[in-house]
Amino acid sequence: MKNYSPAEEDEIHRLMARLGDDEREKYLLTLEKAFRAWKKGNVSFTELDSLLMRYSQIKVHQVQGDPILTISDALAEGRLDRDQISDELYNRIEIVVRLMKH
């Protein structure tokens, strides 16, 4: 990452890991419900397989996305709280967060 201090880079990596974990956990709950529905015959194997394929793409999305945009979007949408990010990093990305809110 360009123009970020080592401490800011560490924080960016930590925030991205947390967002990735949160996203995967949320989707795993969706998969669990779909799997139970499949076992009961309420969801087809094709639907379940489609959900599994989408789950495998979550990690690709996280790796390929711009971390500053991802973090700013999470702040704008309330998936990250303002107190979870340092003042130093927030001051550097605040304009991006504001743009994401609009």
Side-chain angles (χ1 to χ4, degrees):
M1 284 175 268
K2 298 177 185 174
N3 303 320
Y4 290 98
S5 71
E8 289 170 331
E9 287 183 17
D10 288 345
E11 183 176 7
I12 290 166
H13 289 295
R14 178 183 55 78
L15 291 167
M16 288 297 292
R18 178 188 172 140
L19 289 170
D21 290 348
D22 290 349
E23 187 175 358
R24 283 186 293 278
E25 183 177 352
K26 181 179 174 184
Y27 202 83
L28 282 173
L29 291 172
T30 300
L31 280 174
E32 179 183 22
K33 289 177 187 176
F35 182 75
R36 289 176 192 214
W38 172 74
K39 285 192 83 165
K40 291 179 182 177
N42 297 330
V43 170
S44 72
F45 177 76
T46 303
E47 292 170 298
L48 183 61
D49 189 48
S50 176
L51 288 171
L52 288 166
M53 293 299 289
R54 278 189 251 151
Y55 176 74
S56 69
Q57 294 171 355
I58 289 173
K59 186 171 183 172
V60 172
H61 170 72
Q62 287 290 335
V63 171
Q64 292 178 350
D66 181 332
I68 298 305
L69 292 178
T70 301
I71 292 166
S72 298
D73 187 50
L75 284 162
E77 291 181 350
R79 291 181 286 123
L80 274 179
D81 293 326
R82 170 59 185 91
D83 63 352
Q84 294 174 302
I85 186 169
S86 70
D87 290 339
E88 293 80 15
L89 183 58
Y90 186 79
N91 289 337
R92 297 205 53 196
I93 68 171
E94 181 179 11
I95 189 70
V96 180
V97 175
R98 287 184 186 189
L99 289 171
M100 292 288 193
K101 286 183 179 179
H102 298 292

